[in-house]
């Protein structure tokens, strides 16, 4: 069972990890710290944290590999930390399944604020979806109460951001959403992200929604944004 105020911190720099622990504690969170990547997956299965702060470069197992492994069975929000600042590196992290990306050096208050934002979005998602139950379009079904997606009856794993974007487009098939609209829906805390971030999420969704007898329903509308049809 998920502990709503518990955060798993995976960071090999003790000073950074301790700062995060202290700032999270000020907001009422408890934390578990791992300084290498080998046991992260087992820890998540055992402790079911509300969110994970995950360093990209770790001994034992790197953050990208961990993120991909977690996405095979969990939709826990993941915020990835990295010393690399190139946009392509952030996109790689998002493609691996991370929900957010923070570059070092960073403000611990900002990281905590992002944890709070992603948990607030998850809570709002569950609350708003409770009465909606299910959405169906072509070969895809979204189960709101379970926060699950099925393609041709087979459950696939979507990140919370991917789930929100797909739900938005499936609610109104054929309607074209601009990248700005999709960014507002995906990141409700008002942060500025590039168009390439949305493009990266859509690339992931297209791949996940493919099926032997079907093409992906997501279509890019040149110069505007995306729709499902």
């Amino acid at each position: 069972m998920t502990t709503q105020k518990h955060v798993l911190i995976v960071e090999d720099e003790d000073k950074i990890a301790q700062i995060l622990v202290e700032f999270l504690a000020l907001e009422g969170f408890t934390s578990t710290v791992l300084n290498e990547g080998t046991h992260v997956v087992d820890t998540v299965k055992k402790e079911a944290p509300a969110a994970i702060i995950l360093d990209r470069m770790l001994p034992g197992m790197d953050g990208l590999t961990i993120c991909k492994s977690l996405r095979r069975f969990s939709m826990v929000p993941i915020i990835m930390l990295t010393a690399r600042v190139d946009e392509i590196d952030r996109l790689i992290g998002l493609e691996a399944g991370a929900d957010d990306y923070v570059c070092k050096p960073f403000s611990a208050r900002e990281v905590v604020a992002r944890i709070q934002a992603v948990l607030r979005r998850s809570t709002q998602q569950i609350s708003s979806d409770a009465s909606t139950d299910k959405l169906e379009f072509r070969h895809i079904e979204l189960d709101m109460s379970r926060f699950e997606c099925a393609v041709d009856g087979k459950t696939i794993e979507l990140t919370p951001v991917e789930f929100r974007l797909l739900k938005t487009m499936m609610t109104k098939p054929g309607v074209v959403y601009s990248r700005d609209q999709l960014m507002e829906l995906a990141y409700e805390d008002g942060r500025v992200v590039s168009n390439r971030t949305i493009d990266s999420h859509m690339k992931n969704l297209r791949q996940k929604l493919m099926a032997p007898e079907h093409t992906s329903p997501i279509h890019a509308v040149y110069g505007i944004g995306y729709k499902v049809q």
Side-chain angles (χ1 to χ4, degrees):
M1 181 177 180
T2 302
T3 303
Q4 293 300 321
K5 299 290 283 186
H6 186 74
V7 177
L8 175 63
I9 301 170
V10 190
E11 169 60 63
D12 62 333
E13 295 186 44
D14 291 339
K15 184 176 180 180
I16 291 177
Q18 188 56 41
I19 290 173
L20 290 170
V21 168
E22 292 173 0
F23 273 81
L24 284 165
L26 291 174
E27 298 299 327
F29 290 93
T30 60
S31 305
T32 296
V33 176
L34 297 178
N35 56 19
E36 55 90 31
T38 307
H39 303 294
V40 175
V41 172
D42 288 340
T43 301
V44 171
K45 289 180 178 179
K46 182 182 356 180
E47 297 189 1
I52 300 172
I53 300 174
L54 178 64
D55 192 18
R56 176 168 173 172
M57 303 301 293
L58 293 163
M61 183 182 293
D62 67 272
L64 290 179
T65 301
I66 292 169
C67 195
K68 291 176 182 177
S69 297
L70 291 174
R71 285 295 174 243
R72 295 191 185 108
F73 69 90
S74 174
M75 294 178 67
V76 59
I78 299 173
I79 294 180
M80 191 167 284
L81 305 179
T82 182
R84 307 177 70 170
V85 298
D86 293 340
E87 183 180 30
I88 187 63
D89 292 309
R90 294 196 293 274
L91 293 176
I92 289 172
L94 293 172
E95 289 177 359
D99 297 282
D100 206 348
Y101 218 87
V102 180
C103 294
K104 299 177 181 179
F106 55 78
S107 161
R109 286 189 179 89
E110 178 186 2
V111 176
V112 174
R114 293 197 183 190
I115 287 286
Q116 292 172 318
V118 75
L119 291 177
R120 185 165 58 250
R121 290 198 298 270
S122 296
T123 300
Q124 290 171 345
Q125 182 76 52
I126 294 170
S127 176
S128 63
D129 290 342
S131 61
T132 309
D133 198 12
K134 293 182 180 180
L135 269 178
E136 295 183 18
F137 181 75
R138 287 177 48 182
H139 60 294
I140 301 163
E141 180 181 285
L142 293 182
D143 188 324
M144 307 306 176
S145 61
R146 295 177 179 272
F147 209 62
E148 290 180 350
C149 176
V151 175
D152 270 350
K154 181 180 179 181
T155 301
I156 64 169
E157 295 293 341
L158 299 182
T159 69
V161 170
E162 291 168 353
F163 193 96
R164 284 195 296 275
L165 292 174
L166 182 57
K167 176 201 167 188
T168 297
M169 293 186 292
M170 281 179 58
T171 301
K172 296 181 179 179
V175 172
V176 179
Y177 291 87
S178 70
R179 288 178 174 83
D180 287 341
Q181 288 176 312
L182 293 170
M183 281 189 283
E184 288 179 7
L185 291 164
Y187 300 101
E188 297 169 354
D189 52 357
R191 84 191 59 167
V192 177
V193 296
S194 73
N195 286 342
R196 290 186 65 189
T197 300
I198 293 298
D199 291 339
S200 178
H201 287 308
M202 291 302 175
K203 177 183 176 182
N204 287 347
L205 274 171
R206 275 195 177 121
Q207 293 173 342
K208 292 179 178 182
L209 299 178
M210 294 289 285
E213 302 297 324
H214 305 279
T215 58
S216 173
I218 296 177
H219 296 266
V221 180
Y222 183 75
I224 302 178
Y226 293 89
K227 65 179 179 178
V228 297
Q229 70 175 26

